[in-house]
Amino acid sequence: NTADQPAMSAFSKFVQAFADKVHLVYINTNLFYGLPMNVIKDVMKDAESHFSPLKVETHYFNDYGVEEGINRISESLNVGLIGISNISKHPLKRIFSGSNVEALVNHSELPVLSVDIDI
């Protein structure tokens, strides 16, 4: 997503100060009607370019929810920081749909770096 590019660049600059590798993770929560894998792989390949010169590993993970999936894969990869982009929603919409980022920040045992995106 082109809206995520500034967030990826900001996170990359931040992480380069203390890490040499990042894990890009796609959590598929729509097990029956999700995006085709070739589309997901193209998006992830494009995202990798924003993290140069860091080593990038991509992961595709199925789970029932974004928060649960991120927590599970973070634990299995033994990561030290979760970076996630947060697209601003209208406050009324957030009341009804919730926020994956908010839930992750409130329930994760790992530190979470949330980079806001205004679209």
Side-chain angles (χ1 to χ4, degrees), residues 100-111:
N100 289 320
V101 174
E102 225 174 272
L104 187 63
V105 167
N106 290 331
H107 301 119
S108 178
E109 294 183 18
L110 293 170

Side-chain angles (χ1 to χ4, degrees), residues 27-88:
I27 306 294
N28 180 22
T29 59
N30 195 343
L31 302 178
F32 296 107
Y33 302 107
L35 290 171
M37 186 53 79
N38 61 336
V39 172
I40 295 167
K41 285 184 178 182
D42 286 346
V43 169
M44 295 291 272
K45 192 70 173 166
D46 180 57
E48 284 182 41
S49 66
H50 295 280
F51 289 94
S52 181
L54 297 170
K55 180 180 177 193
V56 178
E57 290 184 20
T58 55
H59 307 274
Y60 311 94
F61 193 71
N62 293 323
D63 210 305
Y64 295 107
V66 174
E67 176 193 354
E68 296 86 358
I70 290 173
N71 283 326
R72 274 191 250 285
I73 198 162
S74 296
E75 184 177 315
S76 71
L77 294 172
N78 197 28
V79 301
L81 173 71
I82 298 170
I84 190 166
S85 62
N86 185 33
I87 297 174
S88 300

